[in-house]
Amino acid sequence: HISSSSLGFASPVLRLRVAGSKSRMSTSVERFATEMVSKGKNIREIIALGVRKRYKPNDILAVLQRQMAKKSVGKAEVLMDEEELSSDEEPTPKVGSNMEEDLLESTTDMNVAQETEQEDDQEGWDDGDWDEDGGGWDNDDDGPANIEMGPPELTRTLSFKVHEINDVQGKMDSLIGRVSDLLYISKDEAGCLLRHYRWDDGKLKKEWFDDQKKVRITVGLCHRRNNNEASSSDGKVQCSSWGCQRVPTRKAHALACGHYFCKRCWRNFLESEVSKGRTCIFARCPAMRCKRQHVHKFGCACTELVPSSVFQKYLKKPGLLQKYQNWNLQSFVEGQEGLKWCPNPKCNHVVEYKLGGEKTIECQCGTRFCFSCSKLEHEPAPCDLVTKWLNSTAVSDDATELWLKARTKTCPKCNVRIEKNRACNHMHCTKCGHHFCWLCKGPWSKHGTSTGGYYVCKKYDEDAKKGIRSNEEKDMISTQQMLQKYTYYVGRFNDAKNGVHLTKKLEHELDQQFIAQNKSVEQTKFITDATTSLATARTCMQWCYVLDFYLITGKEKKLFEFQQQLLIEQTESLQELIEDNRTRLNVLLMKKKDILSKTTSLNNLRKRMIDLVKEGNFEAVLSYKGDEKSDNWQCLFCETSNRSLSVFCKNCQACKLHGEPDCRACSSRKS
């Protein structure tokens, strides 16, 4: 019990431990300390309970000291009822030097915990204990308290947790066990039911309690074991395989349906099922339940599901059982809403996501990906936009159609598409033999020197001056500009993507130098953090170009591009600082302050860019089709980037309107 002698100012140990802790204490800490003292808790118990409520132990001790100074605690503990003093019970011993030693030990443990937490903070964020509300401390844990020092507001709880294969197997076994206990069935039956319901235990429970018999029939589980082939007096049963003999009962096995098969037949059947692929997890008894003598059909087969224990018992070939278990585990992960495999094909980790947190996951293998779509990290672009962009950049029908509409015209006679490439306006269709003008698409027989010759069409020029264009011409020009814009952003996207790879290569080279020069992790951690931030920022830039492509031209897009340019400039500044001194490690170490400042600024700009999109500032101007308007366009012939006001390519002089290097229709406007 706490007494005046244990917390008085006469104790030099206490004065040492609480020195400097004169900051203002919250009312909740004072109420908590007073309540615990009134319940007769000792110092260790008060500190342990306080840490669970995320109070700092030093704050608790300071509150107790203040209460002692006011004699509130001393009076409550020293004054005893006369009846207690005169009773025959052994009086409670006064706490003197022993309590002081106990207090010294408690505060020493606290300092050790403080040092341990500081070391943990240097290594990374503490995952903490998972609870049902998506993170934080589990207040219902009755185990020993882990004293975590430090302000609660500085503790970050990750929105995900990375599991090894064994951990996921344990989760699956645990779910099977819970369902088995709840439904009063065997674990084999519980496993079969969960696999059929794609591991949705909620749906299984609902339908089970509504109609258990119907669920058993649907899944393929007999209600009770059948004895269709009971052993005879000689202790043998007939194997259900065609042509197989009677075998001793101990060398045969039957599922709940009662169809016996010998060990060899079971082994051959299960090996055949595994060879078919992951459908083996839904393998059923190979016997026929129909007893009639006829050609059996699909409905004659037994529907009893083969449990996992049978596979484990009879699969002996190396690797086959492992395949079955992997497929079973895959089905479990795919059926759990909060679990997903790492998309890295060389990684076997599973990520558990807690709803409400960041969906960008970083696996232990270093792969960063989006939990929603399982694609690589793509902030700030939304998942559906990323899918659309990746489909358009791949070799797809949409991309082919876009190019055809921008670069070809149809023959007026047979409608076959024809591409014009640096030639005169006289077009000859090789399919139907029709001759026509490329610009006005009129018969070439009506063209000649009076209409402008081979390279000029006066009829087209007159209509163009009046603003008269055919629908095909308008569509071609619009698509041409869209293709130029699209090509420009694809180039910027690929440049940023290559920048990520180059940054990771730079990080690897620096790591090799650190090892060669025996530099400690503490010395070079700021450089590693800077290169990691560079790679993350370039990934963000990569997907910012995608968003910029789909944003409708306007003031919101200008704001987005302004923020984007700030991010690009800060990224290039930090990249240049590190690359210029990549071979001079001592210079990088001397520039620590500058690198840290630029890294912090870069991370803030990237986070600001992501937050702007998440807050919905651009949702109203985000078009999933995109428009042809752009501040830049890329020539389709020489791939040179040009400003939007440029009518001709600054490199090859191809016109922006038609995309032709020697466009006669636009030559009159050429400066």
Side-chain angles (χ1 to χ4, degrees), residues 552-563 631:
I552 300 174
T553 304
K555 60 180 182 180
E556 292 85 359
K557 184 173 182 177
K558 293 291 184 183
L559 171 62
F560 181 84
E561 290 176 343
F562 175 76
Q563 294 288 340
D631 291 337

Side-chain angles (χ1 to χ4, degrees), residues 98-136:
N98 292 336
M99 183 62 185
E100 184 173 335
E101 294 175 0
D102 184 55
L103 180 60
L104 174 60
E105 184 178 355
S106 298
T107 50
T108 303
D109 292 340
M110 288 158 46
N111 291 337
V112 172
Q114 241 176 351
E115 296 173 359
T116 303
E117 180 180 313
Q118 292 173 359
E119 294 175 359
D120 291 340
D121 288 341
Q122 293 176 358
E123 296 176 359
W125 296 106
D126 182 15
D127 289 344
D129 294 328
W130 294 96
D131 58 11
E132 295 179 357
D133 59 1

